[in-house]
Amino acid sequence: MQGINQCTMMSLAMVVIASMIGTRGIGDEVLLGLQQLNVGMATEAGIAIVLLAIIFDRITQSYGEKIQERTQKKKVFNVKD
């Protein structure tokens, strides 16, 4: 699951860079705020990106832990003495 987490974080990090070449989305708000020297607007959009990253990270971690629990239960063999 680590690869999915890293991929998600990287794609959210790229939204601001992608907005520099004309894409639309939440990164566009950060870029617009920086271009207009509106620090509050850029910070607000930046915090929204960070919160999305945290939420996605927690969801994928929880999903990964559930998968690990299921696979570990299947691998355990009951051996009677």
Side-chain angles (χ1 to χ4, degrees):
M1 289 306 289
Q2 191 65 23
I4 293 173
N5 282 346
Q6 289 179 353
C7 185
T8 304
M9 298 304 130
M10 190 61 188
S11 63
L12 285 171
M14 292 295 292
V15 295
V16 177
I17 296 170
S19 70
M20 292 179 186
I21 59 171
T23 61
R24 297 285 178 203
I26 196 165
D28 195 35
E29 294 293 321
V30 176
L31 183 64
L32 187 62
L34 291 174
Q35 286 174 342
Q36 296 176 352
L37 297 176
N38 188 347
V39 178
M41 182 176 159
T43 303
E44 182 180 336
I47 290 173
I49 293 170
V50 169
L51 289 176
L52 278 173
I54 291 170
I55 290 168
F56 289 154
D57 181 53
R58 298 295 183 235
I59 289 171
T60 55
Q61 277 183 352
S62 172
Y63 182 69
E65 288 173 1
K66 286 181 184 178
I67 289 176
Q68 283 182 346
E69 288 175 5
R70 287 183 199 158
T71 57
Q72 287 177 355
K73 286 180 184 177
K74 290 179 182 177
K75 290 181 182 178
V76 175
F77 299 106
N78 291 333
V79 178
K80 294 183 179 181
D81 295 316

